[in-house]
Amino acid sequence: MATFVDRVVLHATGGDGGHGCASIHREKFKPLAGPDGGNGGNGGSVIIQVDPQVTTLLDFHHLPHRHAPSGTQGMGDHRSGSTGADLVLGVPDGTVVKSPDGEVLADLVGVGAQYVAAAGGRGGLGNAALASPRRKAPGFALLGEPGESHDVVLELKTIADVALVGYPSAGKSSLVAAISAARPKIADYPFTTLVPNLGVVQAGSARYTVADVPGLIPGASEGRGLGLEFLRHVERCAVLVHVLDCATLEPDRDPLSDLDVIEAELAQYAGDIGIEGGRTPLAERPRIVVLNKIDVPEARDLAELVRPELEARGLRVFEVSTASHEGLRPLTFALAEIVDQARKDAPQPENTRVVLRPKAVDDAGFTVTKRESGGQVYYSVRGEKPERWVRQTDFSNDEAVGYLADRLARLGVEDRLFATGAVAGDEVRIGPDHNAVVFDWEPTLMTGSELLGGPRGSDVRLEDRSRPTRGEKRHEYKERMDAKAAARDELWTEREQGVWTDPDRD
């Protein structure tokens, strides 16, 4: 079972918005008291937030699918649905959020930094909110929008002050165990360390963290060994410590060649990453060379032999032994000095700037494009408002469909279709091709008011507020009685004239 996970794919889905309610207030002696349907609640969002108590992405490795609660449906008597709670997912400090294509969406550094991975859907309006002076009794409500669904890649880049790099079995884990309270796995075979180890070092009044990066080999920046899996953990470290094995038994290795190989891999990897936030480029960060295992006599002689050449390159060199703890104290204080200076030189974090991007003056909010697929011509309508209105429409309700047609006409979609060359009966698709609403376009007829009925959602019983007088009622009654008498006389006359006679029986 995995115990350290630094890269996962998260499938985040926001909560759906609740549907609006279509309801009419009913009360004694008030048969038409008006609409009182409440709005649906908004769905919850999936938010990724830095939590200082979280140190790994293991939870997302076991449960990669996360869904935020949905909003509830509105009810009558102006009762709105409840809003779904946001689902806040804690991640370690230094987590990078990327798209499946590799685009960096957010770099979460600092406690409380957050990123909305999937926004919740908007709740639908009830018929009480849709009522207007012209639409006094809407018989429909808007549906809730579905929540967003996105796949994001979470990568953990360890935030440590010092990174220990070197060949496998160079003694990095032993060095971490000797200068801190960390107890990593130590053995006499390569690739003993399969996950980065963190240790806290106390040097006088200074305290800093050290990360043991698993062993690098030639070609690590291209994916050989464990290079690509853990090279990302050196990106945020202020100091790089080269741990060189002076007691290696391999004939083709020596401290100088090992240093050149690791530096070449770091330089090649640094060319593929982008340094953001004012951090020093990886190739310009301070280096320290540690000649390890000098408790072996041959290793001590080799360390004394290569030390002048390393110092000629401008590198600070320390000869240490993790077995006898020789030379560890000067090394820890030197690292504390460099880390303290790096913290002082680090740029102050800037306040988050709010970037306003107003829409262009001629931006209609939608586009109409003429396309062709399989020899058939259709018109594609894309835009935030038209697509949202389509998602909120209940197509089983004719009045709701008419309301959608009115909204699209007011937005100017029909005029744009006319300008693009569409005619009655052409196919129109609103939304993306994989999930579009397809219908045959019938333009709205603009005629005189005498040919039109009342506006959609109106009730003629609410329009007539007059009451007939007693004289008008008496006159209406007499006209009705006279009409009945005239009808009886006409039927009797026809009977006397033999109109109802059956010639077969006579």
Side-chain angles (χ1 to χ4, degrees), residues 444-485:
T444 302
L445 299 178
M446 305 300 293
T447 60
S449 58
E450 69 279 359
L451 300 179
L452 297 177
R456 295 186 179 94
S458 62
D459 195 327
V460 294
R461 295 173 293 179
L462 296 176
E463 299 292 338
D464 188 9
R465 297 180 179 270
S466 61
R467 298 181 61 182
T469 62
R470 183 175 298 178
E472 292 174 348
K473 291 182 179 179
R474 185 182 297 110
H475 180 70
E476 182 182 356
Y477 175 75
K478 289 182 178 181
E479 287 184 348
R480 189 164 58 249
M481 293 299 101
D482 293 343
K484 288 183 178 180

Short mmCIF file of all heavy atoms in Angstrom, two decimals, residues 444-485:
data_model
loop_
_atom_site.label_atom_id
_atom_site.label_comp_id
_atom_site.label_asym_id
_atom_site.label_seq_id
_atom_site.Cartn_x
_atom_site.Cartn_y
_atom_site.Cartn_z
N THR A 444 -39.78 34.16 -34.56
CA THR A 444 -40.91 34.77 -33.89
C THR A 444 -41.60 35.74 -34.84
O THR A 444 -40.95 36.58 -35.46
CB THR A 444 -40.44 35.52 -32.63
OG1 THR A 444 -39.77 34.61 -31.78
CG2 THR A 444 -41.62 36.13 -31.89
N LEU A 445 -42.95 35.59 -34.97
CA LEU A 445 -43.72 36.45 -35.87
C LEU A 445 -44.06 37.75 -35.17
O LEU A 445 -44.62 37.76 -34.08
CB LEU A 445 -45.00 35.74 -36.33
CG LEU A 445 -44.80 34.44 -37.10
CD1 LEU A 445 -46.14 33.82 -37.44
CD2 LEU A 445 -44.00 34.68 -38.37
N MET A 446 -43.76 38.87 -35.80
CA MET A 446 -44.08 40.17 -35.24
C MET A 446 -45.29 40.71 -36.00
O MET A 446 -45.20 41.13 -37.16
CB MET A 446 -42.88 41.14 -35.40
CG MET A 446 -41.59 40.58 -34.81
SD MET A 446 -41.74 40.25 -33.04
CE MET A 446 -41.91 41.92 -32.44
N THR A 447 -46.48 40.67 -35.40
CA THR A 447 -47.71 41.10 -36.04
C THR A 447 -48.43 42.07 -35.14
O THR A 447 -47.95 42.45 -34.07
CB THR A 447 -48.62 39.89 -36.31
OG1 THR A 447 -48.93 39.27 -35.07
CG2 THR A 447 -47.96 38.88 -37.21
N GLY A 448 -49.61 42.49 -35.58
CA GLY A 448 -50.41 43.41 -34.79
C GLY A 448 -50.93 42.77 -33.52
O GLY A 448 -51.06 41.56 -33.41
N SER A 449 -51.26 43.62 -32.56
CA SER A 449 -51.70 43.10 -31.27
C SER A 449 -53.03 42.39 -31.36
O SER A 449 -53.35 41.56 -30.51
CB SER A 449 -51.79 44.25 -30.26
OG SER A 449 -52.70 45.24 -30.74
N GLU A 450 -53.83 42.69 -32.41
CA GLU A 450 -55.12 42.03 -32.52
C GLU A 450 -54.99 40.56 -32.88
O GLU A 450 -55.93 39.79 -32.72
CB GLU A 450 -55.99 42.74 -33.58
CG GLU A 450 -55.50 42.58 -35.02
CD GLU A 450 -54.37 43.53 -35.35
OE1 GLU A 450 -54.00 44.32 -34.47
OE2 GLU A 450 -53.86 43.49 -36.48
N LEU A 451 -53.79 40.12 -33.39
CA LEU A 451 -53.59 38.73 -33.76
C LEU A 451 -52.88 37.94 -32.67
O LEU A 451 -52.66 36.75 -32.84
CB LEU A 451 -52.77 38.63 -35.06
CG LEU A 451 -53.40 39.31 -36.29
CD1 LEU A 451 -52.47 39.15 -37.47
CD2 LEU A 451 -54.78 38.73 -36.58
N LEU A 452 -52.52 38.60 -31.62
CA LEU A 452 -51.77 37.94 -30.57
C LEU A 452 -52.63 37.71 -29.36
O LEU A 452 -53.52 38.49 -29.05
CB LEU A 452 -50.55 38.79 -30.17
CG LEU A 452 -49.49 39.01 -31.25
CD1 LEU A 452 -48.40 39.92 -30.72
CD2 LEU A 452 -48.89 37.70 -31.72
N GLY A 453 -52.35 36.63 -28.63
CA GLY A 453 -53.01 36.41 -27.35
C GLY A 453 -52.29 37.19 -26.27
O GLY A 453 -51.45 38.06 -26.53
N GLY A 454 -52.62 36.91 -25.07
CA GLY A 454 -51.95 37.58 -23.97
C GLY A 454 -50.51 37.11 -23.87
O GLY A 454 -50.10 36.12 -24.46
N PRO A 455 -49.72 37.85 -23.12
CA PRO A 455 -48.32 37.43 -22.95
C PRO A 455 -48.22 36.11 -22.21
O PRO A 455 -49.11 35.74 -21.46
CB PRO A 455 -47.72 38.59 -22.13
CG PRO A 455 -48.89 39.21 -21.44
CD PRO A 455 -50.04 39.06 -22.39
N ARG A 456 -47.10 35.41 -22.45
CA ARG A 456 -46.91 34.11 -21.81
C ARG A 456 -46.92 34.28 -20.30
O ARG A 456 -46.27 35.17 -19.75
CB ARG A 456 -45.60 33.48 -22.27
CG ARG A 456 -45.57 33.13 -23.75
CD ARG A 456 -44.29 32.37 -24.09
NE ARG A 456 -44.26 32.00 -25.48
CZ ARG A 456 -43.67 32.72 -26.43
NH1 ARG A 456 -43.09 33.85 -26.12
NH2 ARG A 456 -43.68 32.32 -27.69
N GLY A 457 -47.64 33.41 -19.64
CA GLY A 457 -47.71 33.47 -18.20
C GLY A 457 -48.81 34.36 -17.67
O GLY A 457 -48.96 34.50 -16.46
N SER A 458 -49.60 34.96 -18.55
CA SER A 458 -50.69 35.84 -18.09
C SER A 458 -51.97 35.02 -17.89
O SER A 458 -52.11 33.93 -18.44
CB SER A 458 -50.92 36.97 -19.10
OG SER A 458 -51.30 36.43 -20.36
N ASP A 459 -52.88 35.56 -17.14
CA ASP A 459 -54.17 34.93 -16.85
C ASP A 459 -55.24 35.98 -17.06
O ASP A 459 -55.26 37.01 -16.37
CB ASP A 459 -54.20 34.40 -15.42
CG ASP A 459 -55.38 33.43 -15.20
OD1 ASP A 459 -56.42 33.63 -15.84
OD2 ASP A 459 -55.23 32.50 -14.39
N VAL A 460 -56.13 35.71 -18.04
CA VAL A 460 -57.16 36.70 -18.37
C VAL A 460 -58.09 36.94 -17.20
O VAL A 460 -58.70 38.01 -17.07
CB VAL A 460 -57.96 36.24 -19.62
CG1 VAL A 460 -57.07 36.21 -20.83
CG2 VAL A 460 -58.58 34.86 -19.37
N ARG A 461 -58.22 35.97 -16.31
CA ARG A 461 -59.10 36.17 -15.16
C ARG A 461 -58.53 37.22 -14.21
O ARG A 461 -59.27 37.84 -13.45
CB ARG A 461 -59.31 34.85 -14.42
CG ARG A 461 -60.05 33.81 -15.25
CD ARG A 461 -60.08 32.49 -14.53
NE ARG A 461 -58.74 31.91 -14.43
CZ ARG A 461 -58.47 30.76 -13.82
NH1 ARG A 461 -59.45 30.09 -13.25
NH2 ARG A 461 -57.25 30.30 -13.78
N LEU A 462 -57.21 37.39 -14.25
CA LEU A 462 -56.61 38.41 -13.41
C LEU A 462 -56.65 39.79 -14.07
O LEU A 462 -56.48 40.80 -13.39
CB LEU A 462 -55.15 38.04 -13.08
CG LEU A 462 -54.96 36.76 -12.26
CD1 LEU A 462 -53.47 36.48 -12.11
CD2 LEU A 462 -55.62 36.89 -10.91
N GLU A 463 -56.83 39.82 -15.38
CA GLU A 463 -56.85 41.09 -16.08
C GLU A 463 -58.17 41.83 -15.86
O GLU A 463 -58.20 43.05 -15.75
CB GLU A 463 -56.62 40.86 -17.58
CG GLU A 463 -55.29 40.22 -17.91
CD GLU A 463 -54.14 41.17 -17.60
OE1 GLU A 463 -54.39 42.40 -17.56
OE2 GLU A 463 -53.02 40.68 -17.40
N ASP A 464 -59.32 41.11 -15.83
CA ASP A 464 -60.64 41.74 -15.71
C ASP A 464 -60.95 41.95 -14.24
O ASP A 464 -61.22 41.02 -13.49
CB ASP A 464 -61.70 40.84 -16.38
CG ASP A 464 -63.05 41.54 -16.44
OD1 ASP A 464 -63.10 42.75 -16.13
OD2 ASP A 464 -64.04 40.87 -16.80
N ARG A 465 -60.88 43.19 -13.79
CA ARG A 465 -61.12 43.53 -12.40
C ARG A 465 -62.51 44.16 -12.18
O ARG A 465 -62.85 44.53 -11.06
CB ARG A 465 -60.04 44.49 -11.90
CG ARG A 465 -58.65 43.88 -11.94
CD ARG A 465 -57.63 44.88 -11.43
NE ARG A 465 -56.30 44.30 -11.45
CZ ARG A 465 -55.76 43.63 -10.44
NH1 ARG A 465 -56.45 43.43 -9.34
NH2 ARG A 465 -54.54 43.14 -10.52
N SER A 466 -63.37 44.34 -13.27
CA SER A 466 -64.68 44.98 -13.13
C SER A 466 -65.75 43.96 -12.72
O SER A 466 -65.63 42.77 -13.02
CB SER A 466 -65.08 45.63 -14.47
OG SER A 466 -65.18 44.65 -15.48
N ARG A 467 -66.80 44.43 -12.04
CA ARG A 467 -67.92 43.60 -11.62
C ARG A 467 -69.19 44.14 -12.28
O ARG A 467 -69.43 45.35 -12.30
CB ARG A 467 -68.08 43.64 -10.11
CG ARG A 467 -66.88 43.08 -9.37
CD ARG A 467 -67.11 43.12 -7.87
NE ARG A 467 -68.27 42.32 -7.51
CZ ARG A 467 -68.72 42.22 -6.26
NH1 ARG A 467 -68.14 42.90 -5.29
NH2 ARG A 467 -69.78 41.47 -6.01
N PRO A 468 -70.05 43.26 -12.88
CA PRO A 468 -71.27 43.74 -13.56
C PRO A 468 -72.28 44.31 -12.54
O PRO A 468 -72.39 43.84 -11.41
CB PRO A 468 -71.81 42.48 -14.24
CG PRO A 468 -71.26 41.35 -13.43
CD PRO A 468 -69.93 41.79 -12.94
N THR A 469 -73.04 45.32 -13.00
CA THR A 469 -74.07 45.92 -12.15
C THR A 469 -75.33 45.06 -12.17
O THR A 469 -75.46 44.12 -12.96
CB THR A 469 -74.39 47.34 -12.64
OG1 THR A 469 -74.90 47.26 -13.97
CG2 THR A 469 -73.12 48.20 -12.65
N ARG A 470 -76.29 45.41 -11.28
CA ARG A 470 -77.53 44.64 -11.21
C ARG A 470 -78.33 44.79 -12.50
O ARG A 470 -78.93 43.82 -12.99
CB ARG A 470 -78.36 45.12 -10.02
CG ARG A 470 -79.66 44.32 -9.82
CD ARG A 470 -80.36 44.76 -8.55
NE ARG A 470 -79.50 44.49 -7.41
CZ ARG A 470 -79.84 44.80 -6.15
NH1 ARG A 470 -81.01 45.41 -5.91
NH2 ARG A 470 -79.03 44.54 -5.15
N GLY A 471 -78.35 45.98 -13.09
CA GLY A 471 -79.06 46.17 -14.36
C GLY A 471 -78.45 45.35 -15.47
O GLY A 471 -79.17 44.79 -16.30
N GLU A 472 -77.13 45.29 -15.51
CA GLU A 472 -76.45 44.49 -16.54
C GLU A 472 -76.76 43.01 -16.36
O GLU A 472 -76.97 42.29 -17.35
CB GLU A 472 -74.95 44.75 -16.49
CG GLU A 472 -74.55 46.16 -16.93
CD GLU A 472 -73.07 46.42 -16.74
OE1 GLU A 472 -72.39 45.59 -16.06
OE2 GLU A 472 -72.58 47.43 -17.26
N LYS A 473 -76.79 42.54 -15.11
CA LYS A 473 -77.12 41.14 -14.89
C LYS A 473 -78.55 40.85 -15.33
O LYS A 473 -78.83 39.80 -15.94
CB LYS A 473 -76.96 40.81 -13.41
CG LYS A 473 -75.52 40.79 -12.91
CD LYS A 473 -75.46 40.40 -11.44
CE LYS A 473 -74.04 40.36 -10.95
NZ LYS A 473 -73.96 39.99 -9.51
N ARG A 474 -79.53 41.79 -15.02
CA ARG A 474 -80.93 41.58 -15.42
C ARG A 474 -81.04 41.56 -16.93
O ARG A 474 -81.76 40.73 -17.51
CB ARG A 474 -81.81 42.67 -14.83
CG ARG A 474 -83.31 42.47 -15.11
CD ARG A 474 -84.15 43.60 -14.54
NE ARG A 474 -84.04 43.64 -13.09
CZ ARG A 474 -83.41 44.61 -12.42
NH1 ARG A 474 -82.82 45.59 -13.11
NH2 ARG A 474 -83.35 44.60 -11.11
N HIS A 475 -80.35 42.47 -17.60
CA HIS A 475 -80.38 42.51 -19.06
C HIS A 475 -79.80 41.23 -19.66
O HIS A 475 -80.36 40.68 -20.62
CB HIS A 475 -79.61 43.74 -19.55
CG HIS A 475 -79.59 43.87 -21.04
ND1 HIS A 475 -80.72 44.19 -21.79
CD2 HIS A 475 -78.56 43.70 -21.94
CE1 HIS A 475 -80.40 44.23 -23.06
NE2 HIS A 475 -79.08 43.94 -23.17
N GLU A 476 -78.70 40.75 -19.10
CA GLU A 476 -78.08 39.51 -19.59
C GLU A 476 -79.02 38.32 -19.39
O GLU A 476 -79.13 37.45 -20.27
CB GLU A 476 -76.76 39.26 -18.86
CG GLU A 476 -76.01 38.03 -19.34
CD GLU A 476 -74.73 37.79 -18.58
OE1 GLU A 476 -74.39 38.65 -17.72
OE2 GLU A 476 -74.07 36.74 -18.82
N TYR A 477 -79.73 38.32 -18.25
CA TYR A 477 -80.67 37.22 -17.98
C TYR A 477 -81.82 37.24 -18.98
O TYR A 477 -82.22 36.20 -19.51
CB TYR A 477 -81.19 37.34 -16.55
CG TYR A 477 -82.24 36.32 -16.20
CD1 TYR A 477 -81.91 34.99 -15.95
CD2 TYR A 477 -83.58 36.70 -16.15
CE1 TYR A 477 -82.89 34.07 -15.64
CE2 TYR A 477 -84.57 35.78 -15.85
CZ TYR A 477 -84.21 34.46 -15.59
OH TYR A 477 -85.18 33.54 -15.29
N LYS A 478 -82.41 38.42 -19.25
CA LYS A 478 -83.51 38.51 -20.21
C LYS A 478 -83.06 38.09 -21.60
O LYS A 478 -83.81 37.41 -22.31
CB LYS A 478 -84.06 39.94 -20.23
CG LYS A 478 -84.82 40.32 -18.96
CD LYS A 478 -85.39 41.72 -19.07
CE LYS A 478 -86.20 42.10 -17.82
NZ LYS A 478 -86.78 43.47 -17.91
N GLU A 479 -81.87 38.48 -22.01
CA GLU A 479 -81.39 38.07 -23.32
C GLU A 479 -81.22 36.55 -23.40
O GLU A 479 -81.53 35.93 -24.42
CB GLU A 479 -80.05 38.76 -23.61
CG GLU A 479 -80.16 40.25 -23.92
CD GLU A 479 -78.82 40.83 -24.29
OE1 GLU A 479 -77.79 40.14 -24.08
OE2 GLU A 479 -78.79 41.97 -24.80
N ARG A 480 -80.75 35.96 -22.33
CA ARG A 480 -80.58 34.51 -22.32
C ARG A 480 -81.93 33.80 -22.38
O ARG A 480 -82.10 32.81 -23.10
CB ARG A 480 -79.81 34.10 -21.06
CG ARG A 480 -79.39 32.63 -21.06
CD ARG A 480 -78.32 32.34 -20.04
NE ARG A 480 -78.74 32.68 -18.70
CZ ARG A 480 -78.24 33.69 -17.99
NH1 ARG A 480 -77.31 34.45 -18.52
NH2 ARG A 480 -78.70 33.94 -16.76
N MET A 481 -82.97 34.29 -21.64
CA MET A 481 -84.31 33.69 -21.67
C MET A 481 -84.97 33.87 -23.03
O MET A 481 -85.63 32.96 -23.55
CB MET A 481 -85.18 34.31 -20.58
CG MET A 481 -84.75 33.97 -19.15
SD MET A 481 -84.79 32.21 -18.76
CE MET A 481 -83.05 31.80 -18.92
N ASP A 482 -84.78 35.06 -23.63
CA ASP A 482 -85.35 35.28 -24.96
C ASP A 482 -84.72 34.36 -25.99
O ASP A 482 -85.40 33.85 -26.90
CB ASP A 482 -85.16 36.74 -25.38
CG ASP A 482 -85.97 37.70 -24.51
OD1 ASP A 482 -86.90 37.22 -23.84
OD2 ASP A 482 -85.64 38.91 -24.50
N ALA A 483 -83.42 34.12 -25.87
CA ALA A 483 -82.74 33.22 -26.81
C ALA A 483 -83.24 31.79 -26.65
O ALA A 483 -83.45 31.07 -27.65
CB ALA A 483 -81.23 33.28 -26.58
N LYS A 484 -83.51 31.36 -25.41
CA LYS A 484 -84.04 30.02 -25.21
C LYS A 484 -85.45 29.90 -25.77
O LYS A 484 -85.81 28.89 -26.40
CB LYS A 484 -84.05 29.69 -23.71
CG LYS A 484 -82.66 29.45 -23.13
CD LYS A 484 -82.77 29.04 -21.66
CE LYS A 484 -81.39 28.76 -21.08
NZ LYS A 484 -81.47 28.37 -19.66
N ALA A 485 -86.30 30.94 -25.57
CA ALA A 485 -87.67 30.90 -26.11
C ALA A 485 -87.66 30.87 -27.63
O ALA A 485 -88.44 30.14 -28.26
CB ALA A 485 -88.46 32.11 -25.60
#
